[in-house]
Amino acid sequence: MTTPSPTADTGAELLPIATPARTRAALRTLIRPDRGLALTGLGILVAATAVGLLVQPLLGRIVDIVADGRPAGDLTLPVVLLVAVAVVQGLTTTLGLTRIARLGETVLARLRERFVERALNLPADRLERAGAGDLTARVTGDVARVAEAVRSALPEMARSVLAILLTLGALALLDVRFLLAALLAVPVQLLTARWYVRRALTLYADQRVANGAQQQQLLETIGGAVTVRGHRLEEQHTERSAGRSRKAVDLTMRSVNLVLGFYGRLHIAEYIGLAAVLIAGFWLVREGAVSIGTATAAALYFHSLFGPVNAALVLLDDAQSAAAGLARLVGVTDLAEQPEPTAGKAAPVSVPQQRTASSEAAVTVHEVSHAYGPGRPVLHEVSLTLKAGEHVALVGTSGAGKSTLARIVAGVQQPTTGTVTAPAGTGEAAVVLVTQEVHVFTGSLAEDLRLARPDATDADLRTALSTVHALDWAEALPDGLATVVGEGGHRLDPARAQQLALARLVLADPALAVLDEATAEAGSAGARVLERSAEAALAGRTALVVAHRLTQAVAADRVVVLEAGRVVESGPHEELRDADGPYAALWRAWSGSRATTAPHP
């Protein structure tokens, strides 16, 4: 279960946050595969802590030997035992902490993998409503907080809790009245913990939201820097960034003050407990109930609790911060597992699995509607059928809903209402979507291509590159297919990056290919090359092409015209061009602009 999505002061509908109960359940699920490692590590730490508790009685024994005026030789055995205790405790503590650390890193890796996997499957419109800053803050800041807690807080917390429990047991063995005296500090400590937890969870959650809003504002300002400067909005954006930064700083300072108050209350508890144990020891020694050495051991036991108790309570700071981060991560994974709430009844979307005979429909879109939130409809009861092997071009003015329909047909986005169905099959990739925003992954060119088909041979890679007319430049790279591309590697211009994406499409060999303005970023000269590459990549397969240039519509078997989210025309290019309808108007505007700008060598 997740809490309703909070709304930052950016106006974005942030991704949901899991409830504490759901977060605990998710944590148990993450740990379950490594229960054996957890139990072994815990058992070794128990043994290490128990051995360490022998130090105080041995020191008390030394005090009794000195107080009784016994020979110096009597000190040999306690001293040797102290050395042995130190060695054994050091070895077992190291082994136990190593196992706990291994458990923590394994769970952390599992959490990261699950988060990335689920985040990649989130509906595109949901991410757009949340904004990039929220997801960025979770994948960076929240993961870092959880990682820090796993690497430092988890082992120390386990060690501290065990030390507290076993030390209290040891005090009871010395004399139960020492335990009762020590417990006088507990009410203050519990009240301190309660005071802190009730404030910290909300404060840290608000702090993470504020950091997300701050990152979102910075991303928008930097990403739209040209527009900001063009409209002379520098001051407004600077003030917005400063305002959200001030809010984040204010929440940080509140957390610092909270921690300072937390420490002050803990010191009061320490003084109360130690004074009570010393008074109890004085009274018991005077009454002859215990020896001076036993009273010394009791005082040392309580003093040794300062570290574990303070560590356990102080680690609540890390635990609360990590819990807030973990709840935000679990909220994303749960969102990916559950269907998005819709405005109407939505049927499941299925996508084609293999090519079908030419007499069958490869894809059927039935009365699909979609809205990006209430009052923001994009598509209105769109119905469309693609025959097997047919190339259909989607055209229309900006905002007509072309990209939204393409993503829905590709299965990347769910419709608000309606269905997308296709004959089921196996053996091939169902669908590949290629957009104008192509990412070149860091690594060799061959590795980048094999993302589409990991078992592809070098010959397969060259064939795919040749198909999209990219083999010549690929082999001309410094190291050929082994050339490192992407961040920090050989830079590919937009046209070559798009050809790389089309080559991946060829390797994936999908039944349906969806191209969403895949030649828009290349410029006029590059677009002509890419149109040839796209035509070759789509040969022999069903294709839906969002046409940025109407030359793609001319080459298509059929043109579908969208206007304000509705299909207003459908047919071959020649027929629609001569029909004097919306497509004819688009064609005249487009061909006229080309005539005035065409004479370029």
Side-chain angles (χ1 to χ4, degrees):
M1 179 180 293
T2 56
T3 59
S5 302
T7 302
D9 56 6
T10 60
E13 181 186 346
L14 301 183
L15 296 167
I17 299 174
T19 62
R22 174 62 195 129
T23 302
R24 290 191 296 270
L27 186 58
R28 287 193 297 269
T29 301
L30 290 169
I31 294 175
R32 189 172 296 122
D34 297 292
R35 284 177 295 183
L37 182 61
L39 292 174
T40 302
L42 186 62
I44 294 174
L45 282 180
V46 169
T49 305
V51 170
L53 292 177
L54 296 174
V55 171
Q56 288 82 356
L58 289 172
L59 291 174
R61 180 63 176 166
I62 292 173
V63 170
D64 282 339
I65 290 173
V66 174
D68 294 342
R70 296 167 60 182
D74 290 352
L75 296 174
T76 303
L77 180 60
V79 170
V80 171
L81 290 176
L82 281 173
V83 174
V85 165
V87 172
V88 173
Q89 185 185 24
L91 293 175
T92 52
T93 300
T94 300
L95 181 58
L97 290 178
T98 299
R99 289 184 173 273
I100 294 296
R102 183 180 300 171
L103 170 68
E105 290 295 335
T106 303
V107 171
L108 179 61
R110 191 174 293 128
L111 172 65
R112 280 175 167 163
E113 291 169 1
R114 187 169 300 180
F115 177 82
V116 171
E117 176 187 355
R118 302 288 168 76
L120 289 174
N121 290 322
L122 285 178
D125 56 329
R126 187 64 186 86
L127 289 177
E128 290 173 0
R129 294 202 304 271
D134 186 31
L135 186 62
T136 301
R138 296 186 192 222
V139 81
T140 54
D142 291 323
V143 169
R145 289 294 181 98
V146 175
E148 182 181 354
V150 165
R151 288 168 180 156
S152 58
L154 177 63
E156 189 61 31
M157 176 69 83
R159 184 180 174 188
S160 298
V161 170
L162 288 173
I164 293 168
L165 295 176
L166 294 178
T167 301
L168 291 176
L171 277 171
L173 288 176
L174 291 178
D175 192 296
V176 71
R177 286 166 288 190
F178 284 127
L179 175 61
L180 295 176
L183 291 179
L184 290 177
V186 172
V188 179
Q189 292 167 336
L190 290 179
L191 288 174
T192 298
R194 183 185 177 192
W195 173 84
Y196 175 76
V197 170
R198 291 177 63 180
R199 289 162 175 78
L201 187 58
T202 302
L203 180 58
Y204 283 123
D206 291 344
Q207 191 176 2
R208 302 258 38 93
V209 171
N211 288 338
Q214 181 189 31
Q215 288 196 30
Q216 178 67 28
Q217 181 61 47
L218 291 174
L219 287 171
E220 290 178 353
T221 301
I222 295 172
V226 175
T227 303
V228 171
R229 287 196 297 268
H231 290 274
R232 300 189 179 280
L233 299 174
E234 294 93 341
E235 289 187 8
Q236 292 93 322
H237 276 258
T238 299
E239 181 55 34
R240 288 178 191 169
S241 299
R244 286 171 187 148
S245 296
R246 283 193 296 269
K247 183 174 182 179
V249 170
D250 177 64
L251 289 169
T252 300
M253 293 307 299
R254 285 173 56 189
S255 68
V256 170
N257 290 330
L258 182 67
V259 170
L260 291 175
F262 179 66
Y263 280 124
R265 287 166 170 80
L266 287 183
H267 292 326
I268 293 173
E270 290 173 359
Y271 297 147
I272 291 173
L274 184 57
V277 170
L278 290 174
I279 291 171
F282 173 79
W283 179 72
L284 290 172
V285 170
R286 190 180 66 175
E287 295 295 320
V290 299
S291 67
I292 296 176
T294 301
T296 302
L300 291 173
Y301 269 137
F302 187 81
H303 189 273
S304 71
L305 282 176
F306 286 8
V309 169
N310 287 351
L313 293 177
V314 167
L315 286 174
L316 286 174
D317 180 60
D318 292 334
Q320 292 300 314
S321 181
L326 183 60
R328 285 160 55 83
L329 297 177
V330 174
V332 172
T333 62
D334 283 355
L335 180 64
E337 288 179 336
Q338 301 168 0
E340 280 278 288
T342 59
K345 184 179 180 180
V349 175
S350 61
V351 292
Q353 297 296 316
Q354 66 176 22
R355 299 187 187 117
T356 56
S358 59
S359 60
E360 298 179 356
V363 180
T364 301
V365 179
H366 179 65
E367 295 184 353
V368 162
S369 297
H370 190 72
Y372 292 105
R376 298 173 57 196
V378 179
L379 298 176
H380 305 273
E381 297 183 348
V382 173
S383 294
L384 177 66
T385 299
L386 277 71
K387 296 179 180 179
E390 184 181 26
H391 290 187
V392 174
L394 275 180
V395 302
T397 58
S398 178
K402 304 184 298 297
S403 294
T404 299
L405 180 58
R407 290 199 297 266
I408 289 174
V409 170
V412 173
Q413 192 163 301
Q414 298 289 323
T416 302
T417 60
T419 59
V420 179
T421 58
T426 57
E428 293 176 331
V431 58
V432 169
L433 171 67
V434 180
T435 70
Q436 61 180 323
E437 298 174 358
V438 176
H439 183 73
V440 178
F441 294 88
T442 300
S444 70
L445 182 64
E447 291 171 342
D448 206 308
L449 288 166
R450 286 195 177 97
L451 291 171
R453 205 173 90 202
D455 62 346
T457 64
D458 284 355
D460 294 330
L461 303 185
R462 290 188 173 88
T463 299
L465 289 168
S466 177
T467 300
V468 298
H469 312 293
L471 184 59
D472 289 344
W473 66 255
E475 291 188 330
L477 293 174
D479 298 311
L481 294 179
T483 301
V484 175
V485 295
E487 188 72 24
H490 187 89
R491 184 179 180 278
L492 299 182
D493 62 39
R496 290 183 175 182
Q498 198 66 259
Q499 283 182 308
L500 182 60
L502 292 171
R504 287 199 293 256
L505 184 151
V506 173
L507 287 167
D509 193 22
L512 171 67
V514 179
L515 269 59
D516 183 7
E517 298 189 353
T519 65
E521 295 293 328
S524 299
R528 288 192 289 272
V529 173
L530 284 182
E531 285 172 9
R532 290 177 56 236
S533 300
E535 184 178 354
L538 298 179
R541 69 182 91 252
T542 308
L544 179 66
V545 179
V546 177
H548 177 71
R549 291 173 172 80
L550 292 190
T551 49
Q552 295 171 295
V554 174
D557 299 316
R558 182 158 52 100
V559 179
V560 173
V561 183
L562 285 182
E563 193 172 277
R566 291 181 170 87
V567 175
V568 294
E569 276 189 311
S570 177
H573 160 73
E574 293 82 1
E575 179 182 315
L576 298 184
R577 182 193 59 193
D578 298 335
D580 200 27
Y583 179 76
L586 287 172
W587 176 260
R588 286 194 296 270
W590 183 78
S591 57
S593 65
R594 281 174 56 84
T596 59
T597 60
H600 287 286

